[in-house]
Amino acid sequence: MATINKKHGGFTLIELLIIVAVMGILSATFVTMGSLIRDFRVNYISQRLYSSILLARSEAIKRGENVSLCRSANGSQCNPGDNWSDGWLVFYDDNGNRIVDGADQLIRVYNQISSDFLLNWNGPAEGFYFNGRGQVDFTNNYMFKLCLLGINDSAIREITVYGSYFGDRLKSVLGRGNC
């Protein structure tokens, strides 16, 4: 009797279909994980900003005095402008001028965020303060907009600070779009 020696040099159709299906599932997972990581980064930075605004308000109420938030490029002085990506300060503002001077005391310094992000403020260029009753020093509603640069349809976070409003002073909304 002759022995037949069969050697296969390739994949069967079933094996090939299984490999293609597994590769498809893995590639979809990586795309989703990348999106989740980007969304997490946006949420992390927006929570830093949101908590700093809440800190300023609670400190103003606790002290019964003005507490300001302002843009800061060096971590010690206020720099007027609408791009807060360089960082920001929360400080006790003795005279309410939104500038660190005289008897003012820094409460917290928030350093520059990643250059992948843009954090814009559409309110007064010098920032804002909460008075001793927890009210902001303006009557209009202004907004921070945080987005990831260079990524189409990425997460965008908007934090609105309400001026003449008797409920919550803040509203945070997550959306998607382009910067």
Side-chain angles (χ1 to χ4, degrees):
M1 247 200 216
T3 309
I4 300 176
N5 188 4
K6 290 186 180 179
K7 290 194 176 188
H8 297 283
F11 296 106
T12 66
L13 183 58
I14 303 276
E15 291 170 332
L16 189 58
L17 288 174
I18 290 172
I19 290 172
V20 169
V22 168
M23 294 299 287
I25 291 170
L26 287 177
S27 66
T29 303
F30 289 131
V31 170
T32 304
M33 288 301 290
S35 176
L36 284 173
I37 290 170
R38 286 191 299 271
D39 289 354
F40 175 79
R41 291 176 67 202
V42 169
N43 285 331
Y44 171 74
I45 293 171
S46 69
Q47 286 302 316
R48 280 180 58 197
L49 176 62
Y50 193 82
S51 66
S52 68
I53 297 169
L54 292 176
L55 171 68
R57 184 168 186 241
S58 68
E59 283 290 322
I61 293 169
K62 180 175 84 173
R63 295 169 184 248
E65 300 289 338
N66 299 329
V67 173
S68 290
L69 282 95
C70 70
R71 174 187 176 272
S72 177
N74 62 11
S76 62
Q77 298 173 334
C78 293
N79 308 107
D82 61 356
N83 183 355
W84 286 41
S85 301
D86 290 335
W88 60 94
L89 304 174
V90 175
F91 63 97
Y92 164 68
D93 194 359
D94 185 45
N95 56 10
N97 65 356
R98 294 179 241 144
I99 297 172
V100 180
D101 60 3
D104 297 345
Q105 300 169 355
L106 288 177
I107 296 171
R108 183 131 336 129
V109 175
Y110 292 87
N111 295 321
Q112 178 180 10
I113 62 176
S114 170
S115 61
D116 297 340
F117 292 91
L118 178 63
L119 177 60
N120 272 338
W121 165 244
N122 74 347
E126 53 286 326
F128 62 97
Y129 68 83
F130 289 97
N131 65 22
R133 297 178 67 195
Q135 299 167 327
V136 291
D137 66 328
F138 48 78
T139 56
N140 295 330
N141 301 336
Y142 295 110
M143 180 183 352
F144 287 98
K145 182 177 181 180
L146 172 70
C147 56
L148 190 56
L149 295 171
I151 306 291
N152 292 335
D153 196 37
S154 67
I156 295 177
R157 178 70 75 169
E158 294 175 347
I159 299 174
T160 304
V161 182
Y162 292 97
S164 301
Y165 190 75
F166 297 105
D168 291 334
R169 300 270 179 223
L170 299 173
K171 176 181 169 188
S172 182
V173 176
L174 177 64
R176 298 199 81 70
N178 300 324
C179 241

